[in-house]
Amino acid sequence: MKRWLIALLVLLLGRRRRRPLLDEGERVVPPGAPDRGAESLVLLLFGAAAVCGVAFPVIYAWDAIPNQTQFLGLALGLALAFISAACIVIGKRLVVTEELEEEYSGTHPDDEEALDQLVEESGSRFTRKRLLALAGAGAGTALGAALLTPAASLGPVFDVSSLYRTPWRRGTRLVDEAGRAFLVDDIEEGTFYTAYPEHADREQMGAPLVVVRLEPAELQLPDDRRGWAPEGILAYSKICTHAGCAIALYRKPTFPAVEPKPALVCPCHYSTFNVATGGQVIFGPAGRPLPQLPLEIAGGGELRAAGNFSGPVGPSWWGVRRHGARP
Ligand code: FES
């Protein structure tokens, strides 16, 4: 008996009052007067947001612009502010509001029907619904494009040609710091030289070279690089393929019978590149070989480039983790 009483009590207290069924044609929300001024303001705000959203990728792509970061922030901030302002105007001036006296559960068919009606009638002030929806979608799309734009900084996806662009062309002379052309006889074994392309910007990443000389019999270059090292002279990019430090050490065995072969070494994290085999990584964190530049000897013994590098110059993200740890 006690259980029955408790169950009855719970049933009575738990019952919600239902919204009385609406008569045919009866409104839930009182009608509101159209406000074309507010609509125009919303259109203007959405338009301004779209312009700011589109401006973001334009500024992003325009490297030469001063204070680029600040302009990027401004474009994104203004786009968000304009969209927020548009939403506020819609909420305050264009959506008819109704004060709820009871909760809508949304589960009872009557409530759901009333809710649908409420939503429908709340927008009764709009006179240019489609245009406003279009403007809102435009602003949202432009903002989405702006938010996705920074993903382009993850690396070139469609056009990777910039990775291969260097000042080296067939026939470019190798010159020293003073601009003097390197001759074959200048290059001795057991040391390395820094060379630059003649008449080119030395600050470019693809410009500096390290030049070394081996006995031609020591060379073990890949088949497609036969002829890249005339008289045993080899040229490699000076920029380490790990994190972009300058290659500044040359390992020369003092007792070749037992000591490791000659190699170029980066002092930052000790990536070590085998000069005899085309710059292969034999130690350290670098993920790919040092790019090699093909050489040729011109009249008078001048050293010249016979083409561009064997691969992209500079630090790389691809392949850094492609290989396991090296001994
Ligand atoms: S930058 Fe050369 S080893 Fe790290």
Side-chain angles (χ1 to χ4, degrees):
M1 189 59 171
K2 187 180 153 197
R3 285 184 185 170
W4 277 102
L5 282 174
I6 292 172
L8 190 64
L9 206 62
V10 169
L11 198 64
L12 286 173
L13 289 178
R15 277 189 64 176
R16 293 187 304 102
R17 280 175 302 134
R18 298 253 166 252
R19 169 184 285 272
L21 280 176
L22 295 163
D23 294 336
E24 194 71 25
E26 190 186 343
R27 291 183 64 100
V28 181
V29 180
D35 189 341
R36 288 185 70 84
E39 281 183 10
S40 301
L41 181 59
V42 170
L43 286 172
L44 203 70
L45 288 167
F46 276 148
V51 169
C52 292
V54 169
F56 186 92
V58 173
I59 298 168
Y60 184 88
W62 190 6
D63 285 335
I65 192 171
N67 303 319
Q68 190 189 31
T69 309
Q70 284 76 6
F71 279 117
L72 286 171
L74 194 67
L76 202 56
L78 283 176
L80 289 167
F82 284 135
I83 289 177
S84 308
C87 292
I88 291 170
V89 175
I90 290 172
K92 294 273 184 199
R93 307 248 318 253
L94 290 172
V95 173
V96 187
T97 52
E98 186 222 25
E99 286 197 10
L100 297 176
E101 292 173 1
E102 55 184 291
E103 282 182 14
Y104 287 95
S105 71
T107 54
H108 193 279
D110 293 345
D111 284 351
E112 285 177 17
E113 216 172 279
L115 201 58
D116 287 347
Q117 192 179 344
L118 187 144
V119 171
E120 180 66 27
E121 291 173 1
S122 296
S124 60
R125 274 185 180 167
F126 291 97
T127 59
R128 289 173 283 178
K129 272 186 194 167
R130 198 172 288 177
L131 186 61
L132 284 164
L134 219 71
T141 307
L143 182 64
L147 293 175
L148 288 176
T149 301
S153 290
L154 294 176
V157 177
F158 303 112
D159 179 14
V160 294
S161 59
S162 60
L163 297 175
Y164 294 86
R165 217 167 287 143
T166 76
W168 294 100
R169 307 277 177 279
R170 184 177 202 110
T172 307
R173 291 205 299 179
L174 276 66
V175 297
D176 64 13
E177 298 242 348
R180 196 182 66 86
F182 272 109
L183 303 178
V184 174
D185 293 341
D186 294 333
I187 311 297
E188 295 179 4
E189 288 183 37
T191 185
F192 78 97
Y193 303 82
T194 299
Y196 301 95
E198 191 178 36
H199 306 311
D201 178 7
R202 295 181 182 184
E203 297 296 313
Q204 287 187 54
M205 195 156 62
L209 293 180
V210 279
V211 182
V212 296
R213 186 169 195 166
L214 298 180
E215 280 298 323
E218 289 180 83
L219 297 179
Q220 300 168 34
L221 293 174
D223 288 346
D224 59 347
R225 295 193 200 174
R226 286 219 181 102
W228 282 32
E231 299 200 22
I233 299 173
L234 301 127
Y236 291 97
S237 163
K238 196 177 171 71
I239 308 301
C240 178
T241 54
H242 174 227
C245 285
I247 304 289
L249 301 170
Y250 185 50
R251 184 181 76 187
K252 166 80 173 62
T254 49
F255 185 52
V258 295
E259 290 183 343
K261 300 267 184 273
L264 287 165
V265 182
C266 175
C268 289
H269 313 99
Y270 292 99
S271 286
T272 306
F273 305 91
N274 189 338
V275 287
T277 59
Q280 278 178 333
V281 185
I282 49 179
F283 180 80
R288 61 191 180 90
L290 211 50
Q292 185 181 358
L293 188 83
L295 294 179
E296 62 185 16
I297 298 172
E302 281 177 356
L303 282 176
R304 296 188 181 208
N308 201 354
F309 286 100
S310 57
V313 169
S316 58
W317 65 91
W318 68 87
V320 168
R321 301 199 177 281
R322 199 176 293 160
H323 308 282
R326 292 185 182 78

